Amino acid sequence: MRSVLFFLSIIQVFGSCNNGIENRVSSPDDLIPKDSMVVILKELVVMESYVQGKYVHVSQFKKIMTKSGENILKGYDVSNQRFERSMDYYGSRHREMIEIYTKVLDELQVEAAILSEKLPKMDSTNQLSQPGFLHIPVE
């Protein structure tokens, strides 16, 4: 989620001085539709968050991010080049990019709320308070 917020802030900074650049990038013939961009970017953000939490070394992080990102795009039958052209296009349209990232963030927040409701809760003694879950002592 930090990535989404970072991207939104970068877009806002560049968008404030974007009046001359707005709409300079023409629409590619194979433009990824906005709703599809939301789905793809959401998966990329989740993957990036996972990788950042799991791997400390930048060398491992970069390799895994590249390969995982390629696999996500391949799963949607989208080439790296098509994704980059679409990002360039939407990036040149400040409002559209903000709209895309806002939808990504909204969907991630909804999913996080649903997941947090499903997770077992800990009581004040760090014991799982929901029956049926395996008790693992927290040290």
Side-chain angles (χ1 to χ4, degrees):
M1 286 233 224
R2 286 183 285 159
S3 298
V4 174
L5 295 175
F6 174 75
F7 285 128
L8 283 174
S9 62
I10 293 294
I11 291 168
Q12 287 175 336
V13 167
F14 286 116
S16 63
C17 57
N18 193 18
N19 293 337
I21 299 172
E22 188 78 22
N23 300 327
R24 272 196 200 168
V25 177
S26 59
S27 176
D29 294 334
D30 58 351
L31 179 68
I32 300 170
K34 282 186 200 178
D35 58 340
S36 298
M37 284 296 286
V38 169
V39 172
I40 292 170
L41 286 171
K42 185 173 76 171
E43 276 200 51
L44 289 171
V45 167
V46 169
M47 180 267 303
E48 180 180 6
S49 178
Y50 172 79
V51 171
Q52 282 180 343
K54 186 166 176 130
Y55 298 97
V56 181
H57 300 290
V58 175
S59 60
Q60 290 177 320
F61 177 85
K62 183 179 179 197
K63 290 176 193 173
I64 292 168
M65 283 292 298
T66 301
K67 187 66 175 165
S68 297
E70 289 170 358
N71 287 336
I72 288 172
L73 292 178
K74 186 185 285 186
Y76 289 101
D77 197 28
V78 172
S79 69
N80 288 338
Q81 296 79 14
R82 180 179 179 202
F83 180 75
E84 288 178 19
R85 284 190 298 273
S86 296
M87 285 296 289
D88 288 345
Y89 172 79
Y90 290 122
S92 74
R93 286 154 176 78
H94 175 70
R95 287 186 180 95
E96 289 183 45
M97 191 60 118
I98 292 292
E99 180 183 321
I100 289 169
Y101 276 117
T102 299
K103 286 181 183 178
V104 168
L105 185 57
D106 289 346
E107 288 184 19
L108 287 171
Q109 288 174 334
V110 167
E111 288 180 16
I114 291 169
L115 286 174
S116 70
E117 288 178 12
K118 291 181 179 183
L119 290 176
K121 306 291 185 229
M122 299 292 232
D123 64 18
S124 60
T125 63
N126 287 333
Q127 303 280 329
L128 291 175
S129 60
Q130 294 179 350
F133 287 98
L134 176 64
H135 171 68
I136 301 172
V138 177
E139 296 179 21

